[in-house]
Amino acid sequence: MLSDTLRHLEALVSFDTRNPPRVIGTGGMFDYLRTHLPGFHLEVTDHGDGAVSMLAVRGAPRRVFNVHLDTVPDSPAWTASPHRLRVTDDRAIGLGACDIKGAAAGLLAAAAETTGDAAFLFSTDEEANDARCIAAFLAGDHGFHEAIVAEPTRCEAVLAHRGISSVQVDFRGAAGHASGANAMQASALHHAMRWGSRALDLVEAESHQRFGGLTGLRFNIGKVEGGIKANMIAPSAQVRFGFRPLPSMSIDGLHERLGTLVQAGAVERYQETFRGPPLPSGDIATAEDRRLEARDLAEALDLPIGNAVDFWTEASLFSAAGLTALVYGPGDIAQAPTADEWVALEQLERYAHSFRRILAT
C-alpha cells in the first residue's frame, strides 16, 4: 500500500493549503478527494475564511476519522519547493507530509481497497486556532459515537493530552516622568511584571498535579509590550500568555485565579483569544472514565497505546461533545513544524495497513 499512499501524498502536498494566509477553497484539493472517493456520499461545506470541510460517508458507520489538510506556513530554510514531494530511502519530505497529509493519503489508499462502512471528515482550519469546521460538524446531527483524529503520534493511540488557553491582558497606568514619587505604582509595565511574577509562583504551586502520565501546569508568557522610554512612566502595557492545563483542570477556574493576581484597577482588558479543552474532557472522575473508554476503543481496534502528549489536538473537541475520542496518526510531532518536514515511510505504510484492516472489519 505504500506506493498508493505516496501517490496520494504527492498530489496532496502539491496543493497549497498554508494557514495563514487562509485562502483555501472548495476546488483543487477537494476535487482530488472527490475523484478518489468513489462510492462515498460527499458533502463539502465552506465555512468562510479558508475553512472548508468535506464529510465522506460510505455505508452506516458509527465512527468518524478526522484529518486536517491545512499546513503551517513554510520558511526560507526549506532546501527545495515545499509543495513538491521528495522521497528518499526512508522518508517522504514535503509541507504537510507529517502534519498531517500523510494520514489523509493513507485513508485514501485504505478506502480504495475496502468496501466496509467508513466516514472521513477532512478539515482545513486546524492551524488557524479557529475551529469552525469541527464546531459546525459537532453542532449538526452527525450520529457518530467515536472519533479517531489524525495527528503525528508515531502510529500509537494517544488517549490524553493537555488543553490550551491563550490570553491577552491590557494593563493601564498613568503617564508621567520617571522621577515622580508615583512611578513605582503608576507604571503599567510594573503592574504587568508584578502580575507575571505572581503568575509564575501560582504555576509552580501546581507542579504536583498529575493525570494520565502528564504532570503539572504548562505556562508561558510569550510577549510583553508597552512603555515609551526609560525616563517615562508607561501608560499602557500588553501581555500575551498561554497555559496548557491537564485533563480535569478547570480552564475557567485557572482564569479566575490568574485574574485575582492583578492589582485592582490595573487591568483594562483580560481577554481569552483561544481555548481548546483537554483530552479527555470533564472533571477528574469523568475524564478518567472517558480515558478508559478510549483505551477500550484502541484495544478493540488493535492499536498500540502510546503515552499522553503535551500538544493540543481537535480530538478534545469531539470528546467535549460526548464522543469517545483518541488521536492516532503517522509521523513524529518533532518533524511537523520544521523546514524540510518529513514522515518516515515505515510510518506511512504501517498507518495505511492499520486502516485497511480497520475498514475491512
Side-chain angles (χ1 to χ4, degrees):
M1 294 187 69
L2 181 58
S3 60
D4 288 339
T5 300
L6 288 174
R7 175 170 53 86
H8 290 306
L9 183 55
E10 180 179 26
L12 294 174
V13 166
S14 72
F15 295 107
D16 184 353
T17 55
R18 290 173 295 179
N19 195 352
R22 306 188 65 168
V23 291
I24 303 167
T26 58
M29 178 179 61
F30 286 99
D31 288 337
Y32 183 86
L33 294 175
R34 291 182 182 96
T35 300
H36 290 88
L37 288 170
F40 281 77
H41 172 75
L42 305 176
E43 182 180 341
V44 177
T45 306
D46 189 343
H47 307 278
D49 288 333
V52 180
S53 63
M54 170 187 279
L55 178 62
V57 179
R58 182 175 67 188
R62 57 177 281 121
R63 180 184 309 123
V64 62
F65 301 97
N66 168 238
V67 185
H68 75 84
L69 295 173
D70 56 329
T71 72
V72 297
D74 60 322
S75 75
W78 278 77
T79 60
S81 170
H83 298 297
R84 180 178 63 83
L85 188 71
R86 291 173 283 156
V87 180
T88 68
D89 290 341
D90 63 349
R91 64 185 62 176
I93 306 164
L95 186 58
C98 181
D99 189 11
I100 181 96
K101 290 182 177 181
L107 288 180
L108 292 176
E113 295 198 11
T114 58
T115 58
D117 294 348
F120 307 147
L121 177 63
F122 301 101
S123 57
T124 64
D125 61 353
E126 195 271 348
E127 302 290 358
N129 289 342
D130 180 15
R132 301 184 186 192
C133 293
I134 304 304
F137 170 78
L138 293 173
D141 186 18
H142 55 78
F144 295 103
H145 302 279
E146 300 166 352
I148 298 180
V149 175
E151 290 290 356
T153 65
R154 297 182 294 181
C155 288
E156 295 177 336
V158 168
L159 314 182
H161 64 61
R162 295 178 183 273
I164 183 172
S165 179
S166 300
V167 184
Q168 174 182 317
V169 185
D170 296 323
F171 291 85
R172 68 162 66 95
H177 196 273
S179 63
N182 65 334
M184 286 292 290
Q185 300 302 322
S187 171
L189 278 172
H190 292 178
H191 294 318
M193 290 180 178
R194 291 189 184 98
W195 172 86
S197 178
R198 294 167 186 147
L200 292 170
D201 288 342
L202 183 154
V203 173
E204 288 287 346
E206 297 296 317
S207 61
H208 66 287
Q209 300 287 354
R210 288 175 170 77
F211 183 94
L214 300 172
T215 304
L217 173 65
R218 296 293 172 85
F219 178 85
N220 181 58
I221 299 176
K223 188 175 184 179
V224 179
E225 292 182 305
I228 302 169
K229 54 188 298 189
N231 67 343
M232 296 182 66
I233 298 172
S236 64
Q238 183 183 95
V239 174
R240 290 181 177 267
F241 75 93
F243 60 83
R244 295 175 181 259
L246 298 173
S248 77
M249 282 184 171
S250 167
I251 293 180
D252 287 333
L254 287 168
H255 280 305
E256 183 176 352
R257 294 173 65 191
L258 288 165
T260 61
L261 304 179
V262 180
Q263 182 177 324
V267 168
E268 183 174 348
R269 181 175 61 172
Y270 182 108
Q271 178 184 14
E272 185 179 49
T273 57
F274 178 76
R275 174 183 296 203
L279 175 74
S281 63
D283 58 26
I284 190 165
T286 303
E288 178 59 15
D289 288 343
R290 290 182 172 176
R291 189 187 70 84
L292 294 176
E293 290 170 359
R295 185 193 65 183
D296 291 343
L297 173 60
E299 291 177 346
L301 297 177
D302 197 24
L303 299 178
I305 297 176
N307 296 326
V309 297
D310 289 311
F311 60 85
W312 183 81
T313 80
E314 291 183 325
S316 62
L317 302 179
F318 291 93
S319 176
L323 283 74
T324 299
L326 58 83
V327 191
Y328 175 73
D332 191 315
I333 194 65
Q335 277 79 54
T338 61
D340 292 338
E341 173 185 343
W342 60 273
V343 60
L345 300 185
E346 179 273 333
Q347 289 275 303
L348 288 176
E349 187 170 33
R350 188 192 308 180
Y351 181 84
H353 276 288
S354 68
F355 268 87
R356 181 175 64 179
R357 173 180 53 77
I358 291 170
L359 296 180
T361 57

